[in-house]
Amino acid sequence: MAYITFDSENVNKFVSENELDEIQPLVTVADQQLKDRSGAGFEFTDWLTLPADVHQNELTHIKQAAEKIQSDSDVLIVIGIGGSYLGAKMAIDFLNPVFNNELANQQRSGVKVYFAGNSISSAYINDLIRTIGDQDFSINVISKSGTTTEPAIAFRVFKELLEKKYGKEEAAKRIYATTDGKKGALHDEAQKAGYESFVIPDGVGGRFSVLTPVGLLPLTAAGANVDALMEGAKASQGDFTEADMKKNAAYRYAAIRRILYDKGYTSEILANWEPSMQYLAEWWKQLMGESEGKNQKGIFPSSANYSTDLHSLGQYIQEGRRDLFETVVKLDSPMVDMDLPKLSDNNDGLGYLEGKTIDEINTKAFQGVVLAHVDGGVPNMAIHLPKQDEYTLGYLIYFFEKAVAISGYLFAVNPFNQPGVEAYKTAMFALLGKPGYEEKTKEYQARLR
């Protein structure tokens, strides 16, 4: 039995068991393509066995580096974009108190972690420099090539800051490079300058890389138990191997999504009821969007943070176009619960809630919203998490990764590439005057006149 609970009862009026039986042969073929590595993009499917294959020496190396960061730094700046930061950001937020970076050092289990290189905002960089102030810090720069524009800009800025503070030799001891194992600008610089380095596996794409050093080093520095994280992912790997959807919730989720898409439900909202899960949705959006959105096909991934967004998006979800469905990630046992304070009067009208905990109220709100949205024509699925810890997160990460791999093949696309990402880069490089883009520069400048 799966460790998490996938509840698809509230799609029964939209998707019948008969329809699931009819799509099962396609799911079986997709499963076989994954298992024998014969499907499109097979060269980037090493994540499939990563939880079981991870080497203890690699985990030891990560833990030793994290211990050094914790011993000499108050802050770790993680520089990366897309899959090079979303997984770590998601996991750190999921596992720590919401205001973790504001806590005193003795109240945290690891260093403060801030992220850079995920935008081209001078204000963001300046604000982060001011936030660091005089605190001791280290850098974890994450890039397969070392030439991706956003992280390369941030690395220049923060490396200079590091060298001014500590000197070039000492600064090099505070830079940790996660990059290609054999080639690339960052690989070469790390070799030359002596940065401690970690390898991004060749067969693991960026959006699947959170369970590699890409995510594990920042997580460990922040105080996470990566052994438990990998154990959860390993258990998930073992639980989602059957092709039969009746025994494989990840495949059932993928199949339901595909059937709903064919009926006109082309947008999916990943909803949560915990502010600490906001970046879970941001990570999920890249995983789903880059994997499925090709050849003018694919489900548009969106997100909502409840109950907050019920006061902004709730009206549209309830009564807008009927082209969306929801998947809710619901925590069944919160990290902390609180009793609602009792008052001698009932001026705020909450007397009927006295005797309940705040999480009980949150759960009833979740149940009520699902009922209302289903009645309003919104198919609804729920993924119930028993706890908010490393094991659970590792399990959930692998669940979504396996689901989107099958889903990509059901859409008849390569779920492991992202050719469309290069389009914006070509236009941006041309407008910035990058060598080799001269013809495109003329074209785009003419179009902007």
Side-chain angles (χ1 to χ4, degrees):
M1 180 178 290
Y3 175 73
I4 62 175
T5 302
F6 175 66
D7 180 2
S8 59
E9 182 178 347
N10 285 304
V11 293
N12 287 347
K13 62 185 287 188
F14 306 95
V15 176
S16 69
E17 281 297 323
N18 183 59
E19 289 174 292
L20 287 168
D21 290 341
E22 289 168 356
I23 202 174
Q24 178 64 66
L26 298 179
V27 172
T28 301
V29 170
D31 172 70
Q32 192 59 45
Q33 287 178 309
L34 273 182
K35 285 176 177 173
D36 62 21
R37 309 284 177 107
S38 63
F42 69 90
E43 65 272 26
F44 290 103
T45 56
D46 286 357
W47 58 270
L48 276 167
T49 58
L50 185 64
D53 292 345
V54 66
H55 204 285
Q56 283 302 315
N57 287 345
E58 182 175 52
L59 291 180
T60 299
H61 182 201
I62 288 168
K63 291 173 189 176
Q64 289 172 342
E67 287 175 5
K68 180 180 181 300
I69 293 167
Q70 292 169 346
S71 70
D72 64 18
S73 300
D74 302 303
V75 170
L76 176 65
I77 306 296
V78 178
I79 297 175
I81 195 166
S84 294
Y85 98 97
L86 280 170
K89 171 66 174 167
M90 168 272 289
I92 289 171
D93 283 5
F94 184 96
L95 295 170
N96 287 293
V98 173
F99 304 106
N100 194 55
N101 281 347
E102 279 68 52
L103 296 176
N105 288 345
Q106 62 269 25
Q107 294 178 292
R108 281 182 285 102
S109 56
V111 297
K112 303 174 188 177
V113 179
Y114 294 101
F115 293 85
N118 47 56
S119 70
I120 315 176
S121 168
S122 54
Y124 182 96
I125 292 173
N126 180 68
D127 290 349
L128 182 50
I129 291 172
R130 292 177 62 193
T131 298
I132 296 170
D134 293 329
Q135 298 178 90
D136 287 312
F137 74 100
S138 295
I139 294 172
N140 177 204
V141 55
I142 306 169
S143 176
K144 190 80 170 175
S145 65
T147 59
T148 304
T149 306
E150 295 90 341
I153 289 172
F155 186 43
R156 275 201 184 197
V157 171
F158 287 100
K159 181 173 68 171
E160 180 182 65
L161 193 67
L162 201 67
E163 290 176 349
K164 285 181 178 178
K165 185 176 179 70
Y166 300 105
K168 197 164 186 175
E169 185 177 338
E170 180 59 29
K173 298 176 183 177
R174 291 174 172 268
I175 296 174
Y176 301 82
T178 307
T179 187
D180 191 276
K182 299 175 183 176
K183 61 183 186 303
L186 182 56
H187 167 271
D188 294 346
E189 180 178 343
Q191 291 285 307
K192 183 177 179 181
Y195 307 153
E196 189 159 358
S197 298
F198 298 85
V199 174
I200 303 173
D202 290 335
V204 180
R207 58 188 175 275
F208 292 86
S209 67
V210 63
L211 299 178
T212 75
V214 170
L216 297 181
L217 178 58
L219 270 169
T220 310
N225 181 344
V226 292
D227 291 316
L229 183 81
M230 297 306 293
E231 280 300 313
K234 183 178 178 181
S236 190
Q237 178 185 330
D239 285 348
F240 300 120
T241 58
E242 295 277 357
D244 185 351
M245 286 186 291
K246 291 181 174 64
K247 302 176 182 177
N248 191 325
Y251 287 11
R252 186 176 181 87
Y253 169 57
I256 290 172
R257 294 173 75 249
R258 186 66 177 89
I259 294 169
L260 287 172
Y261 176 83
D262 285 340
K263 295 184 174 187
Y265 297 96
T266 56
S267 296
E268 180 178 11
I269 294 174
L270 190 77
N272 67 78
W273 287 81
E274 294 291 340
S276 58
M277 293 188 193
Q278 180 177 349
Y279 261 84
L280 173 66
E282 297 304 313
W283 169 81
W284 173 88
K285 283 191 283 191
Q286 185 200 8
L287 182 70
M288 295 294 179
E290 275 195 352
S291 297
E292 292 180 340
K294 292 151 195 173
N295 306 333
Q296 288 74 58
K297 295 185 284 189
I299 297 167
F300 180 76
S302 184
S303 62
N305 307 297
Y306 293 154
S307 63
T308 305
D309 288 341
L310 293 173
H311 297 261
S312 56
L313 296 175
Q315 172 62 40
Y316 186 93
I317 295 170
Q318 189 68 42
E319 295 185 345
R321 287 176 60 88
R322 300 298 76 185
D323 58 358
L324 57 85
F325 62 97
E326 287 180 300
T327 301
V328 185
V329 178
K330 181 62 174 71
L331 180 65
D332 289 339
S333 181
M335 284 185 170
V336 178
D337 201 0
M338 299 172 62
D339 292 323
L340 184 69
K342 295 183 178 180
L343 300 179
S344 56
D345 55 41
N346 190 32
N347 287 342
D348 58 10
L350 297 182
Y352 75 102
L353 294 177
E354 290 183 0
K356 294 180 172 65
T357 69
I358 292 178
D359 186 66
E360 284 181 280
I361 299 168
N362 198 38
T363 296
K364 291 302 178 185
F366 149 70
Q367 293 169 345
V369 168
V370 169
L371 291 173
H373 287 181
V374 171
D375 289 344
V378 180
N380 221 285
M381 294 176 277
I383 299 169
H384 289 267
L385 308 182
K387 297 178 182 178
Q388 193 167 350
D389 60 11
E390 288 91 343
Y391 185 94
T392 304
L393 181 59
Y395 197 98
L396 181 65
I397 286 169
Y398 194 87
F399 170 88
F400 278 132
E401 289 179 343
K402 196 70 179 289
V404 79
I406 289 296
S407 183
Y409 285 154
L410 290 178
F411 275 105
V413 300
N414 178 351
F416 308 114
N417 67 355
Q418 54 278 342
V421 173
E422 298 306 314
Y424 92 86
K425 293 182 181 178
T426 297
M428 179 177 69
F429 292 155
L431 292 173
L432 289 170
K434 185 174 182 178
Y437 289 80
E438 289 79 10
E439 287 302 315
K440 284 291 184 182
T441 298
K442 294 176 184 177
E443 176 191 336
Y444 288 126
Q445 285 178 342
R447 290 170 60 182
L448 290 173
R449 288 195 186 107

